[in-house]
mmCIF file of all heavy atoms in Angstrom:
data_model
loop_
_atom_site.group_PDB
_atom_site.id
_atom_site.type_symbol
_atom_site.label_atom_id
_atom_site.label_comp_id
_atom_site.label_asym_id
_atom_site.label_seq_id
_atom_site.Cartn_x
_atom_site.Cartn_y
_atom_site.Cartn_z
ATOM 1 N N MET A 239 -101.586 -48.925 57.348
ATOM 2 C CA MET A 239 -102.360 -50.015 56.713
ATOM 3 C C MET A 239 -103.026 -49.515 55.475
ATOM 4 O O MET A 239 -103.550 -48.389 55.415
ATOM 5 C CB MET A 239 -103.433 -50.556 57.670
ATOM 6 C CG MET A 239 -102.871 -51.176 58.956
ATOM 7 S SD MET A 239 -101.966 -52.689 58.585
ATOM 8 C CE MET A 239 -103.330 -53.829 58.193
ATOM 9 N N SER A 240 -103.042 -50.389 54.432
ATOM 10 C CA SER A 240 -103.705 -50.021 53.214
ATOM 11 C C SER A 240 -104.647 -51.164 52.855
ATOM 12 O O SER A 240 -104.350 -52.272 53.012
ATOM 13 C CB SER A 240 -102.735 -49.770 52.110
ATOM 14 O OG SER A 240 -101.948 -50.904 51.858
ATOM 15 N N ALA A 241 -105.819 -50.796 52.354
ATOM 16 C CA ALA A 241 -106.821 -51.806 51.996
ATOM 17 C C ALA A 241 -106.362 -52.584 50.781
ATOM 18 O O ALA A 241 -105.759 -52.037 49.855
ATOM 19 C CB ALA A 241 -108.143 -51.127 51.671
ATOM 20 N N ILE A 242 -106.657 -53.840 50.774
ATOM 21 C CA ILE A 242 -106.331 -54.658 49.587
ATOM 22 C C ILE A 242 -107.367 -54.424 48.556
ATOM 23 O O ILE A 242 -108.562 -54.536 48.755
ATOM 24 C CB ILE A 242 -106.341 -56.171 49.967
ATOM 25 C CG1 ILE A 242 -105.257 -56.450 50.985
ATOM 26 C CG2 ILE A 242 -106.181 -57.026 48.681
ATOM 27 C CD1 ILE A 242 -105.245 -57.879 51.473
ATOM 28 N N ARG A 243 -106.886 -53.995 47.341
ATOM 29 C CA ARG A 243 -107.793 -53.608 46.276
ATOM 30 C C ARG A 243 -107.790 -54.754 45.213
ATOM 31 O O ARG A 243 -106.783 -55.130 44.750
ATOM 32 C CB ARG A 243 -107.321 -52.327 45.645
ATOM 33 C CG ARG A 243 -108.391 -51.658 44.825
ATOM 34 C CD ARG A 243 -107.970 -50.206 44.554
ATOM 35 N NE ARG A 243 -106.753 -50.098 43.799
ATOM 36 C CZ ARG A 243 -106.715 -49.988 42.457
ATOM 37 N NH1 ARG A 243 -107.866 -50.048 41.807
ATOM 38 N NH2 ARG A 243 -105.619 -49.914 41.781
ATOM 39 N N THR A 244 -108.957 -55.206 44.927
ATOM 40 C CA THR A 244 -109.055 -56.272 43.949
ATOM 41 C C THR A 244 -109.062 -55.604 42.557
ATOM 42 O O THR A 244 -109.851 -54.766 42.248
ATOM 43 C CB THR A 244 -110.427 -57.001 44.057
ATOM 44 O OG1 THR A 244 -110.559 -57.516 45.447
ATOM 45 C CG2 THR A 244 -110.517 -58.122 43.076
ATOM 46 N N PRO A 245 -108.146 -56.035 41.721
ATOM 47 C CA PRO A 245 -108.035 -55.482 40.390
ATOM 48 C C PRO A 245 -109.217 -55.888 39.565
ATOM 49 O O PRO A 245 -109.679 -56.990 39.673
ATOM 50 C CB PRO A 245 -106.763 -56.053 39.868
ATOM 51 C CG PRO A 245 -106.572 -57.369 40.574
ATOM 52 C CD PRO A 245 -107.080 -57.083 41.984
ATOM 53 N N ASN A 246 -109.756 -55.004 38.733
ATOM 54 C CA ASN A 246 -110.799 -55.344 37.862
ATOM 55 C C ASN A 246 -110.460 -55.161 36.370
ATOM 56 O O ASN A 246 -111.265 -55.226 35.455
ATOM 57 C CB ASN A 246 -112.108 -54.534 38.142
ATOM 58 C CG ASN A 246 -111.815 -53.055 38.104
ATOM 59 O OD1 ASN A 246 -110.779 -52.628 37.499
ATOM 60 N ND2 ASN A 246 -112.674 -52.291 38.730
ATOM 61 N N GLU A 247 -109.164 -54.987 36.166
ATOM 62 C CA GLU A 247 -108.663 -54.858 34.779
ATOM 63 C C GLU A 247 -107.249 -55.316 34.773
ATOM 64 O O GLU A 247 -106.494 -55.107 35.750
ATOM 65 C CB GLU A 247 -108.758 -53.387 34.421
ATOM 66 C CG GLU A 247 -108.615 -53.136 32.951
ATOM 67 C CD GLU A 247 -108.773 -51.666 32.586
ATOM 68 O OE1 GLU A 247 -108.841 -50.840 33.567
ATOM 69 O OE2 GLU A 247 -108.880 -51.358 31.464
ATOM 70 N N ARG A 248 -106.810 -55.940 33.663
ATOM 71 C CA ARG A 248 -105.495 -56.386 33.568
ATOM 72 C C ARG A 248 -105.061 -56.438 32.106
ATOM 73 O O ARG A 248 -105.894 -56.616 31.237
ATOM 74 C CB ARG A 248 -105.260 -57.762 34.195
ATOM 75 C CG ARG A 248 -105.954 -58.887 33.521
ATOM 76 C CD ARG A 248 -105.792 -60.175 34.207
ATOM 77 N NE ARG A 248 -106.388 -61.295 33.495
ATOM 78 C CZ ARG A 248 -106.323 -62.524 33.863
ATOM 79 N NH1 ARG A 248 -105.825 -62.874 35.009
ATOM 80 N NH2 ARG A 248 -106.944 -63.517 33.166
ATOM 81 N N SER A 249 -103.745 -56.291 31.886
ATOM 82 C CA SER A 249 -103.286 -56.397 30.487
ATOM 83 C C SER A 249 -101.961 -57.150 30.511
ATOM 84 O O SER A 249 -101.207 -57.102 31.452
ATOM 85 C CB SER A 249 -103.157 -55.061 29.839
ATOM 86 O OG SER A 249 -102.327 -54.218 30.607
ATOM 87 N N CYS A 250 -101.674 -57.849 29.401
ATOM 88 C CA CYS A 250 -100.505 -58.648 29.295
ATOM 89 C C CYS A 250 -99.316 -57.796 28.793
ATOM 90 O O CYS A 250 -99.439 -57.116 27.784
ATOM 91 C CB CYS A 250 -100.749 -59.874 28.336
ATOM 92 S SG CYS A 250 -99.299 -60.877 28.107
ATOM 93 N N THR A 251 -98.221 -57.907 29.514
ATOM 94 C CA THR A 251 -97.005 -57.088 29.101
ATOM 95 C C THR A 251 -96.301 -57.691 27.947
ATOM 96 O O THR A 251 -95.478 -57.127 27.335
ATOM 97 C CB THR A 251 -96.071 -56.988 30.286
ATOM 98 O OG1 THR A 251 -95.684 -58.269 30.730
ATOM 99 C CG2 THR A 251 -96.703 -56.220 31.415
ATOM 100 N N ARG A 252 -96.675 -58.968 27.543
ATOM 101 C CA ARG A 252 -96.008 -59.600 26.466
ATOM 102 C C ARG A 252 -96.734 -59.447 25.097
ATOM 103 O O ARG A 252 -96.121 -59.104 24.100
ATOM 104 C CB ARG A 252 -95.853 -61.109 26.765
ATOM 105 C CG ARG A 252 -94.944 -61.422 27.921
ATOM 106 C CD ARG A 252 -95.086 -62.905 28.332
ATOM 107 N NE ARG A 252 -94.285 -63.222 29.492
ATOM 108 C CZ ARG A 252 -93.128 -63.862 29.421
ATOM 109 N NH1 ARG A 252 -92.698 -64.317 28.284
ATOM 110 N NH2 ARG A 252 -92.476 -64.162 30.559
ATOM 111 N N CYS A 253 -98.066 -59.731 25.127
ATOM 112 C CA CYS A 253 -98.724 -59.688 23.842
ATOM 113 C C CYS A 253 -99.819 -58.603 23.761
ATOM 114 O O CYS A 253 -100.385 -58.358 22.710
ATOM 115 C CB CYS A 253 -99.422 -61.071 23.608
ATOM 116 S SG CYS A 253 -100.749 -61.411 24.745
ATOM 117 N N GLY A 254 -100.069 -57.891 24.859
ATOM 118 C CA GLY A 254 -100.969 -56.786 24.769
ATOM 119 C C GLY A 254 -102.444 -57.144 24.997
ATOM 120 O O GLY A 254 -103.300 -56.324 24.888
ATOM 121 N N ARG A 255 -102.726 -58.417 25.407
ATOM 122 C CA ARG A 255 -104.057 -58.807 25.708
ATOM 123 C C ARG A 255 -104.615 -57.928 26.847
ATOM 124 O O ARG A 255 -103.964 -57.728 27.819
ATOM 125 C CB ARG A 255 -104.088 -60.269 26.064
ATOM 126 C CG ARG A 255 -105.511 -60.829 26.362
ATOM 127 C CD ARG A 255 -105.433 -62.234 26.807
ATOM 128 N NE ARG A 255 -106.741 -62.837 27.143
ATOM 129 C CZ ARG A 255 -107.449 -63.540 26.304
ATOM 130 N NH1 ARG A 255 -107.025 -63.802 25.117
ATOM 131 N NH2 ARG A 255 -108.657 -63.988 26.617
ATOM 132 N N HIS A 256 -105.855 -57.513 26.615
ATOM 133 C CA HIS A 256 -106.499 -56.577 27.579
ATOM 134 C C HIS A 256 -107.751 -57.203 28.103
ATOM 135 O O HIS A 256 -108.635 -57.517 27.317
ATOM 136 C CB HIS A 256 -106.731 -55.256 26.906
ATOM 137 C CG HIS A 256 -107.195 -54.136 27.862
ATOM 138 N ND1 HIS A 256 -107.710 -52.972 27.454
ATOM 139 C CD2 HIS A 256 -107.234 -54.112 29.202
ATOM 140 C CE1 HIS A 256 -108.003 -52.206 28.478
ATOM 141 N NE2 HIS A 256 -107.726 -52.899 29.581
ATOM 142 N N GLU A 257 -107.806 -57.394 29.402
ATOM 143 C CA GLU A 257 -109.013 -58.089 29.992
ATOM 144 C C GLU A 257 -109.633 -57.231 31.087
ATOM 145 O O GLU A 257 -108.974 -56.438 31.719
ATOM 146 C CB GLU A 257 -108.672 -59.440 30.531
ATOM 147 C CG GLU A 257 -108.190 -60.421 29.454
ATOM 148 C CD GLU A 257 -107.976 -61.768 30.055
ATOM 149 O OE1 GLU A 257 -107.962 -61.942 31.276
ATOM 150 O OE2 GLU A 257 -107.821 -62.757 29.282
ATOM 151 N N GLU A 258 -110.930 -57.485 31.303
ATOM 152 C CA GLU A 258 -111.662 -56.766 32.326
ATOM 153 C C GLU A 258 -112.468 -57.785 33.167
ATOM 154 O O GLU A 258 -112.962 -58.739 32.568
ATOM 155 C CB GLU A 258 -112.613 -55.797 31.600
ATOM 156 C CG GLU A 258 -113.122 -54.638 32.413
ATOM 157 C CD GLU A 258 -113.979 -53.674 31.581
ATOM 158 O OE1 GLU A 258 -114.908 -54.189 30.913
ATOM 159 O OE2 GLU A 258 -113.578 -52.538 31.516
ATOM 160 N N TRP A 259 -112.550 -57.610 34.412
ATOM 161 C CA TRP A 259 -113.287 -58.575 35.254
ATOM 162 C C TRP A 259 -114.762 -58.315 35.108
ATOM 163 O O TRP A 259 -115.245 -57.226 35.289
ATOM 164 C CB TRP A 259 -112.850 -58.414 36.712
ATOM 165 C CG TRP A 259 -113.554 -59.414 37.610
ATOM 166 C CD1 TRP A 259 -114.530 -59.089 38.477
ATOM 167 C CD2 TRP A 259 -113.310 -60.846 37.694
ATOM 168 N NE1 TRP A 259 -114.913 -60.306 39.145
ATOM 169 C CE2 TRP A 259 -114.194 -61.326 38.650
ATOM 170 C CE3 TRP A 259 -112.417 -61.720 37.014
ATOM 171 C CZ2 TRP A 259 -114.231 -62.701 38.960
ATOM 172 C CZ3 TRP A 259 -112.517 -63.076 37.311
ATOM 173 C CH2 TRP A 259 -113.381 -63.506 38.335
ATOM 174 N N ASN A 260 -115.521 -59.460 34.767
ATOM 175 C CA ASN A 260 -116.888 -59.385 34.672
ATOM 176 C C ASN A 260 -117.528 -59.988 35.893
ATOM 177 O O ASN A 260 -117.473 -61.234 36.103
ATOM 178 C CB ASN A 260 -117.358 -60.171 33.394
ATOM 179 C CG ASN A 260 -118.837 -60.032 33.151
ATOM 180 O OD1 ASN A 260 -119.632 -60.055 34.090
ATOM 181 N ND2 ASN A 260 -119.205 -59.956 31.892
ATOM 182 N N GLU A 261 -118.029 -59.208 36.820
ATOM 183 C CA GLU A 261 -118.558 -59.720 38.083
ATOM 184 C C GLU A 261 -119.770 -60.606 37.894
ATOM 185 O O GLU A 261 -119.910 -61.575 38.596
ATOM 186 C CB GLU A 261 -118.930 -58.511 38.988
ATOM 187 C CG GLU A 261 -117.777 -57.946 39.719
ATOM 188 C CD GLU A 261 -118.164 -56.992 40.819
ATOM 189 O OE1 GLU A 261 -119.291 -57.176 41.321
ATOM 190 O OE2 GLU A 261 -117.372 -56.122 41.126
ATOM 191 N N GLU A 262 -120.598 -60.296 36.930
ATOM 192 C CA GLU A 262 -121.855 -61.140 36.711
ATOM 193 C C GLU A 262 -121.439 -62.531 36.260
ATOM 194 O O GLU A 262 -122.004 -63.504 36.666
ATOM 195 C CB GLU A 262 -122.754 -60.456 35.680
ATOM 196 C CG GLU A 262 -123.366 -59.189 36.239
ATOM 197 C CD GLU A 262 -124.299 -58.564 35.209
ATOM 198 O OE1 GLU A 262 -124.489 -59.161 34.119
ATOM 199 O OE2 GLU A 262 -124.826 -57.467 35.480
ATOM 200 N N GLU A 263 -120.456 -62.551 35.340
ATOM 201 C CA GLU A 263 -120.079 -63.863 34.783
ATOM 202 C C GLU A 263 -119.068 -64.562 35.697
ATOM 203 O O GLU A 263 -118.926 -65.748 35.666
ATOM 204 C CB GLU A 263 -119.424 -63.662 33.382
ATOM 205 C CG GLU A 263 -120.344 -63.046 32.367
ATOM 206 C CD GLU A 263 -121.426 -64.070 31.894
ATOM 207 O OE1 GLU A 263 -121.124 -65.211 31.949
ATOM 208 O OE2 GLU A 263 -122.486 -63.594 31.508
ATOM 209 N N GLY A 264 -118.339 -63.757 36.442
ATOM 210 C CA GLY A 264 -117.289 -64.352 37.308
ATOM 211 C C GLY A 264 -116.059 -64.734 36.511
ATOM 212 O O GLY A 264 -115.316 -65.624 36.935
ATOM 213 N N THR A 265 -115.842 -64.103 35.362
ATOM 214 C CA THR A 265 -114.711 -64.443 34.532
ATOM 215 C C THR A 265 -114.033 -63.146 33.979
ATOM 216 O O THR A 265 -114.645 -62.098 33.989
ATOM 217 C CB THR A 265 -115.140 -65.290 33.321
ATOM 218 O OG1 THR A 265 -116.053 -64.559 32.557
ATOM 219 C CG2 THR A 265 -115.743 -66.634 33.797
ATOM 220 N N TRP A 266 -112.815 -63.322 33.467
ATOM 221 C CA TRP A 266 -112.132 -62.276 32.781
ATOM 222 C C TRP A 266 -112.637 -62.281 31.381
ATOM 223 O O TRP A 266 -112.755 -63.288 30.726
ATOM 224 C CB TRP A 266 -110.608 -62.467 32.752
ATOM 225 C CG TRP A 266 -110.015 -62.286 34.105
ATOM 226 C CD1 TRP A 266 -109.690 -63.259 34.994
ATOM 227 C CD2 TRP A 266 -109.657 -61.076 34.753
ATOM 228 N NE1 TRP A 266 -109.149 -62.725 36.134
ATOM 229 C CE2 TRP A 266 -109.116 -61.367 36.016
ATOM 230 C CE3 TRP A 266 -109.746 -59.721 34.332
ATOM 231 C CZ2 TRP A 266 -108.652 -60.332 36.861
ATOM 232 C CZ3 TRP A 266 -109.298 -58.719 35.192
ATOM 233 C CH2 TRP A 266 -108.724 -59.020 36.466
ATOM 234 N N THR A 267 -112.933 -61.067 30.827
ATOM 235 C CA THR A 267 -113.398 -61.031 29.453
ATOM 236 C C THR A 267 -112.474 -60.006 28.714
ATOM 237 O O THR A 267 -111.969 -59.013 29.282
ATOM 238 C CB THR A 267 -114.814 -60.426 29.364
ATOM 239 O OG1 THR A 267 -114.898 -59.184 30.121
ATOM 240 C CG2 THR A 267 -115.801 -61.384 30.008
ATOM 241 N N VAL A 268 -112.289 -60.275 27.434
ATOM 242 C CA VAL A 268 -111.382 -59.467 26.589
ATOM 243 C C VAL A 268 -112.036 -58.107 26.280
ATOM 244 O O VAL A 268 -113.189 -58.032 26.010
ATOM 245 C CB VAL A 268 -111.063 -60.188 25.259
ATOM 246 C CG1 VAL A 268 -110.201 -59.337 24.370
ATOM 247 C CG2 VAL A 268 -110.353 -61.511 25.586
ATOM 248 N N VAL A 269 -111.179 -57.095 26.394
ATOM 249 C CA VAL A 269 -111.632 -55.715 26.142
ATOM 250 C C VAL A 269 -111.211 -55.294 24.696
ATOM 251 O O VAL A 269 -110.048 -55.501 24.358
ATOM 252 C CB VAL A 269 -111.052 -54.708 27.168
ATOM 253 C CG1 VAL A 269 -111.541 -53.329 26.897
ATOM 254 C CG2 VAL A 269 -111.495 -55.165 28.583
ATOM 255 N N ASP A 270 -112.108 -54.687 23.995
ATOM 256 C CA ASP A 270 -111.780 -54.045 22.639
ATOM 257 C C ASP A 270 -111.138 -55.119 21.735
ATOM 258 O O ASP A 270 -110.357 -54.714 20.871
ATOM 259 C CB ASP A 270 -110.844 -52.910 22.786
ATOM 260 C CG ASP A 270 -111.513 -51.750 23.590
ATOM 261 O OD1 ASP A 270 -112.756 -51.711 23.518
ATOM 262 O OD2 ASP A 270 -110.795 -50.928 24.190
ATOM 263 N N GLU A 271 -111.523 -56.406 21.883
ATOM 264 C CA GLU A 271 -111.012 -57.455 21.030
ATOM 265 C C GLU A 271 -109.505 -57.522 21.014
ATOM 266 O O GLU A 271 -108.913 -57.991 20.009
ATOM 267 C CB GLU A 271 -111.590 -57.280 19.594
ATOM 268 C CG GLU A 271 -113.050 -57.376 19.537
ATOM 269 C CD GLU A 271 -113.632 -57.314 18.145
ATOM 270 O OE1 GLU A 271 -112.830 -56.994 17.170
ATOM 271 O OE2 GLU A 271 -114.828 -57.592 17.897
ATOM 272 N N GLU A 272 -108.892 -57.046 22.059
ATOM 273 C CA GLU A 272 -107.386 -57.172 22.178
ATOM 274 C C GLU A 272 -107.095 -58.479 22.784
ATOM 275 O O GLU A 272 -106.726 -58.553 23.946
ATOM 276 C CB GLU A 272 -106.846 -55.991 22.990
ATOM 277 C CG GLU A 272 -106.993 -54.649 22.282
ATOM 278 C CD GLU A 272 -106.339 -53.564 23.130
ATOM 279 O OE1 GLU A 272 -105.094 -53.488 23.159
ATOM 280 O OE2 GLU A 272 -107.038 -52.777 23.816
ATOM 281 N N VAL A 273 -107.222 -59.524 21.963
ATOM 282 C CA VAL A 273 -107.042 -60.889 22.512
ATOM 283 C C VAL A 273 -105.541 -61.258 22.624
ATOM 284 O O VAL A 273 -105.182 -62.184 23.344
ATOM 285 C CB VAL A 273 -107.723 -61.927 21.648
ATOM 286 C CG1 VAL A 273 -109.199 -61.724 21.725
ATOM 287 C CG2 VAL A 273 -107.234 -61.853 20.199
ATOM 288 N N GLY A 274 -104.676 -60.512 21.925
ATOM 289 C CA GLY A 274 -103.264 -60.825 22.018
ATOM 290 C C GLY A 274 -102.912 -62.109 21.316
ATOM 291 O O GLY A 274 -103.577 -62.580 20.339
ATOM 292 N N ASP A 275 -101.885 -62.812 21.810
ATOM 293 C CA ASP A 275 -101.421 -64.069 21.219
ATOM 294 C C ASP A 275 -101.973 -65.230 22.069
ATOM 295 O O ASP A 275 -101.685 -65.304 23.243
ATOM 296 C CB ASP A 275 -99.889 -64.033 21.248
ATOM 297 C CG ASP A 275 -99.318 -65.256 20.538
ATOM 298 O OD1 ASP A 275 -100.071 -66.239 20.246
ATOM 299 O OD2 ASP A 275 -98.106 -65.187 20.235
ATOM 300 N N VAL A 276 -102.667 -66.180 21.371
ATOM 301 C CA VAL A 276 -103.261 -67.270 22.083
ATOM 302 C C VAL A 276 -102.176 -68.222 22.667
ATOM 303 O O VAL A 276 -102.428 -68.973 23.537
ATOM 304 C CB VAL A 276 -104.203 -68.096 21.192
ATOM 305 C CG1 VAL A 276 -105.438 -67.279 20.883
ATOM 306 C CG2 VAL A 276 -103.530 -68.567 19.936
ATOM 307 N N TYR A 277 -100.968 -68.160 22.039
ATOM 308 C CA TYR A 277 -99.891 -69.013 22.531
ATOM 309 C C TYR A 277 -99.030 -68.366 23.614
ATOM 310 O O TYR A 277 -98.083 -68.959 24.046
ATOM 311 C CB TYR A 277 -99.025 -69.471 21.350
ATOM 312 C CG TYR A 277 -99.819 -70.309 20.340
ATOM 313 C CD1 TYR A 277 -100.102 -69.791 19.083
ATOM 314 C CD2 TYR A 277 -100.219 -71.570 20.681
ATOM 315 C CE1 TYR A 277 -100.814 -70.549 18.149
ATOM 316 C CE2 TYR A 277 -100.972 -72.305 19.709
ATOM 317 C CZ TYR A 277 -101.210 -71.772 18.497
ATOM 318 O OH TYR A 277 -101.967 -72.508 17.587
ATOM 319 N N CYS A 278 -99.408 -67.127 23.927
ATOM 320 C CA CYS A 278 -98.593 -66.337 24.838
ATOM 321 C C CYS A 278 -98.816 -66.886 26.276
ATOM 322 O O CYS A 278 -99.856 -67.270 26.675
ATOM 323 C CB CYS A 278 -99.068 -64.920 24.798
ATOM 324 S SG CYS A 278 -98.230 -63.861 26.043
ATOM 325 N N ILE A 279 -97.684 -66.929 27.020
ATOM 326 C CA ILE A 279 -97.742 -67.185 28.446
ATOM 327 C C ILE A 279 -97.948 -65.868 29.142
ATOM 328 O O ILE A 279 -96.996 -65.165 29.410
ATOM 329 C CB ILE A 279 -96.464 -67.874 28.988
ATOM 330 C CG1 ILE A 279 -96.151 -69.100 28.189
ATOM 331 C CG2 ILE A 279 -96.560 -68.166 30.461
ATOM 332 C CD1 ILE A 279 -94.783 -69.661 28.435
ATOM 333 N N HIS A 280 -99.238 -65.450 29.272
ATOM 334 C CA HIS A 280 -99.526 -64.093 29.711
ATOM 335 C C HIS A 280 -98.837 -63.671 30.947
ATOM 336 O O HIS A 280 -98.784 -64.387 31.918
ATOM 337 C CB HIS A 280 -101.047 -63.937 29.843
ATOM 338 C CG HIS A 280 -101.768 -64.250 28.566
ATOM 339 N ND1 HIS A 280 -101.535 -63.598 27.420
ATOM 340 C CD2 HIS A 280 -102.719 -65.162 28.292
ATOM 341 C CE1 HIS A 280 -102.330 -64.098 26.468
ATOM 342 N NE2 HIS A 280 -103.048 -65.046 27.011
ATOM 343 N N ALA A 281 -98.252 -62.534 30.890
ATOM 344 C CA ALA A 281 -97.617 -61.853 32.085
ATOM 345 C C ALA A 281 -98.425 -60.650 32.429
ATOM 346 O O ALA A 281 -98.301 -59.543 31.853
ATOM 347 C CB ALA A 281 -96.217 -61.480 31.744
ATOM 348 N N TRP A 282 -99.402 -60.810 33.362
ATOM 349 C CA TRP A 282 -100.297 -59.717 33.685
ATOM 350 C C TRP A 282 -99.592 -58.626 34.449
ATOM 351 O O TRP A 282 -98.783 -58.924 35.389
ATOM 352 C CB TRP A 282 -101.518 -60.264 34.484
ATOM 353 C CG TRP A 282 -102.187 -61.379 33.781
ATOM 354 C CD1 TRP A 282 -102.193 -62.666 34.129
ATOM 355 C CD2 TRP A 282 -102.885 -61.321 32.546
ATOM 356 N NE1 TRP A 282 -102.947 -63.450 33.232
ATOM 357 C CE2 TRP A 282 -103.349 -62.620 32.214
ATOM 358 C CE3 TRP A 282 -103.177 -60.284 31.644
ATOM 359 C CZ2 TRP A 282 -104.094 -62.876 31.103
ATOM 360 C CZ3 TRP A 282 -103.914 -60.537 30.522
ATOM 361 C CH2 TRP A 282 -104.328 -61.833 30.228
ATOM 362 N N ASP A 283 -99.969 -57.406 34.166
ATOM 363 C CA ASP A 283 -99.313 -56.218 34.785
ATOM 364 C C ASP A 283 -99.852 -55.814 36.123
ATOM 365 O O ASP A 283 -99.573 -54.831 36.658
ATOM 366 C CB ASP A 283 -99.336 -55.062 33.796
ATOM 367 C CG ASP A 283 -100.708 -54.548 33.577
ATOM 368 O OD1 ASP A 283 -101.701 -55.189 34.051
ATOM 369 O OD2 ASP A 283 -100.885 -53.476 32.880
ATOM 370 N N ILE A 284 -100.775 -56.671 36.640
ATOM 371 C CA ILE A 284 -101.396 -56.335 37.932
ATOM 372 C C ILE A 284 -100.599 -56.859 39.135
ATOM 373 O O ILE A 284 -100.948 -56.533 40.259
ATOM 374 C CB ILE A 284 -102.830 -56.909 38.021
ATOM 375 C CG1 ILE A 284 -102.810 -58.446 37.889
ATOM 376 C CG2 ILE A 284 -103.749 -56.244 37.013
ATOM 377 C CD1 ILE A 284 -104.176 -59.088 38.111
ATOM 378 N N THR A 285 -99.535 -57.622 38.878
ATOM 379 C CA THR A 285 -98.801 -58.194 39.962
ATOM 380 C C THR A 285 -98.310 -57.165 40.964
ATOM 381 O O THR A 285 -98.312 -57.352 42.130
ATOM 382 C CB THR A 285 -97.573 -58.996 39.386
ATOM 383 O OG1 THR A 285 -98.038 -59.838 38.334
ATOM 384 C CG2 THR A 285 -96.939 -59.826 40.461
ATOM 385 N N GLY A 286 -97.873 -56.038 40.412
ATOM 386 C CA GLY A 286 -97.295 -55.000 41.258
ATOM 387 C C GLY A 286 -98.273 -54.511 42.327
ATOM 388 O O GLY A 286 -97.907 -54.067 43.398
ATOM 389 N N GLN A 287 -99.567 -54.544 41.972
ATOM 390 C CA GLN A 287 -100.564 -54.052 42.924
ATOM 391 C C GLN A 287 -100.766 -55.000 44.071
ATOM 392 O O GLN A 287 -101.147 -54.608 45.189
ATOM 393 C CB GLN A 287 -101.874 -53.872 42.224
ATOM 394 C CG GLN A 287 -101.859 -52.780 41.160
ATOM 395 C CD GLN A 287 -103.139 -52.586 40.418
ATOM 396 O OE1 GLN A 287 -104.189 -52.976 40.901
ATOM 397 N NE2 GLN A 287 -103.084 -51.961 39.291
ATOM 398 N N PHE A 288 -100.408 -56.244 43.862
ATOM 399 C CA PHE A 288 -100.565 -57.238 44.946
ATOM 400 C C PHE A 288 -99.323 -57.251 45.897
ATOM 401 O O PHE A 288 -99.393 -57.589 47.042
ATOM 402 C CB PHE A 288 -100.762 -58.620 44.387
ATOM 403 C CG PHE A 288 -102.092 -58.812 43.757
ATOM 404 C CD1 PHE A 288 -102.152 -59.228 42.412
ATOM 405 C CD2 PHE A 288 -103.257 -58.605 44.422
ATOM 406 C CE1 PHE A 288 -103.408 -59.366 41.809
ATOM 407 C CE2 PHE A 288 -104.481 -58.760 43.838
ATOM 408 C CZ PHE A 288 -104.561 -59.125 42.516
ATOM 409 N N THR A 289 -98.176 -56.919 45.276
ATOM 410 C CA THR A 289 -96.932 -56.941 46.092
ATOM 411 C C THR A 289 -96.279 -55.539 46.053
ATOM 412 O O THR A 289 -95.355 -55.335 45.286
ATOM 413 C CB THR A 289 -95.979 -57.984 45.540
ATOM 414 O OG1 THR A 289 -95.747 -57.705 44.170
ATOM 415 C CG2 THR A 289 -96.513 -59.357 45.700
ATOM 416 N N PRO A 290 -96.793 -54.609 46.766
ATOM 417 C CA PRO A 290 -96.254 -53.251 46.794
ATOM 418 C C PRO A 290 -94.867 -53.144 47.309
ATOM 419 O O PRO A 290 -94.129 -52.261 47.036
ATOM 420 C CB PRO A 290 -97.273 -52.468 47.677
ATOM 421 C CG PRO A 290 -97.832 -53.507 48.579
ATOM 422 C CD PRO A 290 -97.945 -54.783 47.718
ATOM 423 N N VAL A 291 -94.473 -54.084 48.195
ATOM 424 C CA VAL A 291 -93.118 -54.075 48.795
ATOM 425 C C VAL A 291 -92.179 -54.997 48.066
ATOM 426 O O VAL A 291 -92.433 -56.186 48.018
ATOM 427 C CB VAL A 291 -93.226 -54.449 50.299
ATOM 428 C CG1 VAL A 291 -91.837 -54.423 50.901
ATOM 429 C CG2 VAL A 291 -94.118 -53.477 51.029
ATOM 430 N N GLU A 292 -91.128 -54.458 47.507
ATOM 431 C CA GLU A 292 -90.148 -55.287 46.867
ATOM 432 C C GLU A 292 -88.876 -55.226 47.667
ATOM 433 O O GLU A 292 -88.365 -54.141 48.061
ATOM 434 C CB GLU A 292 -89.901 -54.773 45.435
ATOM 435 C CG GLU A 292 -91.077 -55.058 44.482
ATOM 436 C CD GLU A 292 -90.738 -54.657 43.072
ATOM 437 O OE1 GLU A 292 -89.558 -54.448 42.835
ATOM 438 O OE2 GLU A 292 -91.672 -54.574 42.251
ATOM 439 N N GLN A 293 -88.264 -56.385 47.782
ATOM 440 C CA GLN A 293 -86.972 -56.440 48.540
ATOM 441 C C GLN A 293 -85.912 -57.123 47.737
ATOM 442 O O GLN A 293 -86.211 -57.979 46.891
ATOM 443 C CB GLN A 293 -87.206 -57.146 49.860
ATOM 444 C CG GLN A 293 -88.108 -56.371 50.812
ATOM 445 C CD GLN A 293 -88.202 -57.065 52.113
ATOM 446 O OE1 GLN A 293 -87.908 -58.234 52.326
ATOM 447 N NE2 GLN A 293 -88.642 -56.300 53.135
HETATM 448 ZN ZN1 ZN B 149 -99.997 -62.391 26.690
#
């Protein structure tokens, strides 16, 4: 068994947007002004952490 880890950081594999989870605000906030493309359909790179088993 492995503990489920809540990600606190994520980045988009398409436009490079970089976000960090702000616990106080309860929202994702942009890191280092890397906002990426506002028209991008963001593909966050954290998906793998939620589904470690691929079949
Ligand atoms: Zn994006």
